Amino acid sequence: MKGEGKRSRGRCLAYVAAFIVFQTAIILAFALTVMRIKTPKVRFGAVSVENFSTGNGSSPFFDMRLMAQVTVKNTNFGHFKYENSTIKILYGGMEVGEVAVVKARARARQTKKFDVTIDISSANLSSNSNLGNDIATGVLPLSSEAKLSGKVHLLKVIKKKKSAGMSCTMGINLGTRAVQDLKCK
Ligand SMILES: *[C@@H]1O[C@H](CO)[C@@H](O)[C@H](O)[C@H]1NC(C)=O
Ligand SMILES: *[C@@H]1O[C@H](CO)[C@@H](O)[C@H](O)[C@H]1NC(C)=O
Ligand SMILES: *[C@@H]1O[C@H](CO)[C@@H](O)[C@H](O)[C@H]1NC(C)=O
Ligand SMILES: *[C@@H]1O[C@H](CO)[C@@H](O)[C@H](O)[C@H]1NC(C)=O
């Protein structure tokens, strides 16, 4: 009878150990997925061009309106609430237009989408830019930058500061008046 008691106690300890291992695995999995806070991603979805006007020759210029879809991809298990910000469009590293992004939130595990309209112009570029050459080749290279600063909220109590940066490059094809090679990091 003694042996019997020892064996069942041993089995009981084995169950407890298995339970602890199982519990630890669950907590670990939870910590590695749900609790891990990732930086949301901001990108341009699609961009189209309107009110297009460019000049070739001795006084090159461009004036146009970009209609862009912006996506804020939040893969966290809590929402991302961001503050007011601006998206800037650059040509040759110089700003040629910007648009305000009003503060909002991207829900948990959701990609928020919204449209912006950005008027861009070469008016403020210095005259020694490479604009004449770019217009002559038929493709205007542009880039965009933005930083959405905000917080990821988890389980109602955890808040972690995260800022989502946007950095895209694209070319405006002056022949087709369409955006090509849109790439975002
Ligand atoms: C852009 O074009 C539309 C019509 O296509 C016109 O109504 C609008 O006033 C133009 N905007 C600018 C800034 O030229
Ligand atoms: C954010 O932008 C909106 C709209 O432009 C403005 O009314 C609001 O005061 C701004 N909020 C902050 C905190 O700057
Ligand atoms: C160009 O410069 C003027 C005067 O400094 C400014 O008011 C305007 O907003 C600028 N335009 C762009 C597109 O940056
Ligand atoms: C600009 O001018 C050059 C030479 O005159 C020409 O080859 C080119 O096609 C023009 N580009 C555009 C976009 O009109």
Side-chain angles (χ1 to χ4, degrees):
M1 286 300 117
K2 245 184 191 168
E4 187 77 351
K6 215 177 248 174
R7 203 177 306 148
S8 83
R9 198 179 311 143
R11 201 179 298 153
C12 184
L13 282 177
Y15 283 144
V16 169
F19 181 73
I20 289 171
V21 168
F22 178 71
Q23 192 86 326
T24 308
I26 296 268
I27 291 169
L28 213 62
F30 186 74
L32 290 178
T33 56
V34 175
M35 302 302 290
R36 205 173 111 218
I37 297 181
K38 282 159 261 152
T39 305
K41 288 202 171 80
V42 190
R43 292 162 174 255
F44 274 141
V47 184
S48 62
V49 182
E50 267 189 16
N51 298 56
F52 174 97
S53 137
T54 59
N56 204 350
S58 57
S59 50
F61 74 93
F62 64 83
D63 262 304
M64 68 191 83
R65 172 169 286 184
L66 302 181
M67 318 286 287
Q69 185 188 62
V70 179
T71 62
V72 182
K73 186 177 178 187
N74 177 25
T75 57
N76 293 298
F77 286 82
H79 68 263
F80 172 56
K81 197 172 165 190
Y82 55 87
E83 299 303 322
N84 281 356
S85 175
T86 50
I87 295 177
K88 291 178 179 164
I89 302 293
L90 313 174
Y91 166 79
M94 308 239 306
E95 184 177 338
V96 291
E98 65 173 46
V99 67
V101 174
V102 178
K103 63 180 177 181
R105 61 168 69 180
R107 293 214 300 266
R109 302 190 62 71
Q110 190 211 45
T111 299
K112 183 184 176 65
K113 295 179 180 161
F114 56 91
D115 295 322
V116 293
T117 299
I118 314 168
D119 288 320
I120 64 170
S121 159
S122 59
N124 290 1
L125 290 176
S126 59
S127 54
N128 61 9
S129 73
N130 198 34
L131 189 55
N133 288 337
D134 282 334
I135 289 182
T137 62
V139 179
L140 185 66
L142 296 175
S143 59
S144 72
E145 61 178 40
K147 194 172 130 193
L148 299 191
S149 301
K151 287 180 184 142
V152 173
H153 295 235
L154 261 190
L155 305 173
K156 306 229 186 275
V157 286
I158 300 169
K159 289 183 193 171
K160 180 133 192 251
K161 277 192 184 161
K162 280 283 172 192
S163 57
M166 173 206 253
S167 171
C168 301
T169 57
M170 67 190 113
I172 311 284
N173 187 310
L174 304 179
T176 60
R177 303 187 173 190
V179 172
Q180 62 187 37
D181 301 327
L182 174 61
K183 289 193 192 82
C184 295
K185 272 192 264 188

